[in-house]
Amino acid sequence: MISPKKYARVAKRLPKGFKSVNEFFNCVYHDEEMIWMGQNTNHLHEENDIMYEMLESIKNKDYCKYPPPEGFPELKNLILQDLGLTEGYDILITAGGTESLYLCMNDILEPTDNVITCDPGYLIIDNFASRFADHVKSIPIYNEECGYKLTPELVKENMDKNTKIISLVDPLNPLGSCYTKEEIKEFADIAIDNDLYLLHDITYRDFAREHHLAAKYAPENTITVYSFSKIYGMAGLRVGALIAAPDVVTSVKSIIINDLGTNVIAQKGALAAVKSKPEWLDRIRNTTRGNQKIIKDAVDGIDGLFIPVYPSDGNMLAIDMYELGIEPIDVTEFLLGRKIFAREGAYTSKLFGHRYLRVSFSIPTESVEKFAVDFEDAIKTLKHK
């Protein structure tokens, strides 16, 4: 019998009554009454060009043909224009930002290398890095002193001659912390001076009040990971991209598995999404920021709770409940009974997951208002158990 390989893995505690992660997600996915606040997905798009373009593509039976293996050139150019990275960069369309992360780790890392990440963070990055590098240095950042984010100073303290990648999720899932221009410039200098890579995951970029691309300061040393899952509301379609210097992208292309191209329907939707972005971006940003305030007001009304990063520059935030002695998993189970799917901190932190609940808020405002009421009920109920 083949023994499972021991890679870094996300801690997933199942709610009561479920035998597997897949069983749980299948149940949540098919519950049409469920309010989706557990995976940072965006449910604010109305019927628009994104939907219409995909429907038209299906009617035309475009799915009978393989698309170009590296992505439609028009889509590639639109993404580069969206980022302002039109000169000196190459791009590969992938089956989501997660595939981009995996491809980068696979292609770049050697068995003697190490990777710097942070905790809390997107733990699947640690998983991927642990498959190809000697080890992962996951730096604790859940404290006010560092602003709840990886800092250039922390990187300098923890890096060594074998550090090959610094992972920056910006804004950071699950806290919503974001980097200033000065911080990004410092990271860029570190990468250039030490001949290493910045893996800049900008999945939540368009929710941020202000955002700066590392690629503009360290073009040869930055790999930018782009996703259509969040601001574009296309999580289930699995489409994204990686952008880097041409020689880096050429190297990554040599190890891809999906060499027959990314889902053609998803790419057609992605084309419409980038083109129509100016029409809906402000509405979605304004709604998410208003929703965030509703959650903040609810948290402020309960002694012993606090939000580490507010305002969040993502479409999610963390609610710390450690002082109350309430387990986040118990809150998620209570909310699940009220048809609200939220996520305990263990999903995004090995060290601090027992402290916080993560909730996303790019959903209709009436759903956030329901969360505020039911969350207060959850805290009152569990506090007196």
Side-chain angles (χ1 to χ4, degrees):
M1 180 176 177
I2 298 174
S3 299
K5 294 185 178 179
K6 307 250 189 291
Y7 300 130
R9 294 190 181 277
V10 174
K12 294 180 180 178
R13 290 175 58 186
L14 288 171
K16 294 172 185 174
F18 296 96
K19 296 178 182 177
S20 70
V21 171
N22 201 68
E23 180 188 353
F24 167 66
F25 277 105
N26 184 63
C27 178
V28 172
Y29 180 88
H30 285 98
D31 189 335
E32 294 184 2
E33 297 178 9
M34 191 66 67
I35 295 173
W36 208 269
M37 303 178 74
Q39 291 189 304
N40 305 342
T41 45
N42 180 8
H43 304 259
L44 291 172
H45 280 278
E46 300 165 348
E47 287 195 19
N48 59 15
D49 289 347
I50 302 172
M51 179 190 298
Y52 300 145
E53 188 65 31
M54 289 191 289
L55 289 172
E56 188 64 25
S57 180
I58 291 169
K59 289 178 184 177
N60 291 338
K61 296 179 69 177
D62 292 341
Y63 52 81
C64 293
K65 300 174 288 185
Y66 291 119
E70 297 170 15
F72 287 118
E74 183 184 10
L75 178 58
K76 294 168 69 173
N77 289 333
L78 283 171
I79 293 171
L80 292 174
Q81 290 170 22
D82 182 51
L83 297 177
L85 301 178
T86 53
E87 297 293 332
Y89 299 91
D90 198 0
I91 179 171
L92 175 68
I93 303 299
T94 62
T98 301
E99 184 184 50
S100 296
L101 293 166
Y102 180 88
L103 289 171
C104 293
M105 297 294 184
N106 186 346
D107 186 55
I108 293 170
L109 294 173
E110 299 291 343
T112 55
D113 294 334
N114 64 68
V115 176
I116 291 180
T117 65
C118 65
D119 185 334
Y122 187 38
L123 294 185
I124 201 167
I125 295 175
D126 298 53
N127 180 307
F128 293 162
S130 69
R131 301 181 187 204
F132 306 107
D134 179 70
H135 64 281
V136 179
K137 296 184 178 182
S138 186
I139 301 173
I141 52 93
Y142 195 78
N143 63 80
E144 197 171 353
E145 183 179 344
C146 66
Y148 295 96
K149 59 185 173 181
L150 192 62
T151 64
E153 291 73 22
L154 285 171
V155 167
K156 290 175 185 176
E157 291 169 11
N158 287 275
M159 66 184 292
D160 59 35
K161 63 184 178 62
N162 291 321
T163 300
K164 194 64 176 179
I165 292 177
I166 299 168
S167 172
L168 301 176
V169 181
D170 174 31
L172 178 63
N173 173 20
L175 302 175
S177 37
C178 195
Y179 293 102
T180 65
K181 181 188 289 188
E182 291 69 28
E183 289 167 334
I184 289 294
K185 284 182 176 179
E186 284 191 63
F187 282 123
D189 289 341
I190 291 171
I192 294 168
D193 293 343
N194 295 277
D195 191 27
L196 52 79
Y197 288 100
L198 296 176
L199 189 56
H200 197 193
D201 182 342
I202 61 166
T203 295
Y204 303 97
R205 171 180 185 258
D206 286 303
F207 292 103
R209 293 164 296 170
E210 186 177 334
H211 190 269
H212 306 280
L213 293 172
K216 294 190 175 180
Y217 304 102
E220 300 295 323
N221 299 75
T222 301
I223 303 173
T224 305
V225 174
Y226 190 98
S227 175
F228 283 85
S229 293
K230 310 306 179 184
I231 198 69
Y232 295 112
M234 299 172 64
L237 287 158
R238 311 311 304 128
V239 59
L242 66 86
I243 301 100
D247 61 329
V248 174
V249 176
T250 297
S251 183
V252 169
K253 286 190 291 191
S254 71
I255 53 95
I256 61 172
I257 296 172
N258 191 20
D259 64 348
L260 294 175
T262 300
N263 186 307
V264 65
I265 307 301
Q267 288 196 68
K268 290 297 182 73
L271 278 164
V274 183
K275 289 177 181 178
S276 65
K277 194 174 186 177
E279 300 170 15
W280 46 259
L281 181 59
D282 286 344
R283 176 182 63 82
I284 288 179
R285 279 176 171 168
N286 292 337
T287 302
T288 54
R289 290 168 187 173
N291 288 347
Q292 182 177 180
K293 179 66 166 56
I294 293 169
I295 297 171
K296 177 67 159 57
D297 290 344
V299 170
D300 287 349
I302 304 172
D303 290 337
L305 301 181
F306 75 96
I307 297 174
V309 176
Y310 184 86
S312 164
D313 276 307
N315 66 333
M316 87 304 287
L317 53 73
I319 303 172
D320 191 299
M321 54 191 64
Y322 183 74
E323 284 189 19
L324 292 183
I326 296 174
E327 290 282 342
I329 186 68
D330 293 334
V331 179
T332 63
E333 290 188 351
F334 183 99
L335 292 173
L336 207 57
R338 299 286 183 92
K339 300 290 187 181
I340 298 173
F341 169 39
R343 214 62 181 272
E344 70 278 9
Y347 182 69
T348 51
S349 176
K350 296 177 182 178
L351 300 176
F352 310 102
H354 61 290
R355 296 192 61 113
Y356 64 84
L357 179 77
R358 187 199 68 184
V359 293
S360 54
F361 40 82
S362 46
I363 59 175
T365 297
E366 57 268 25
S367 296
V368 178
E369 291 170 340
K370 174 175 165 48
F371 166 81
V373 172
D374 290 337
F375 176 72
E376 183 178 358
D377 286 348
I379 298 301
K380 286 179 180 177
T381 301
L382 295 169
K383 191 164 64 171
H384 293 104
K385 272 195 171 184

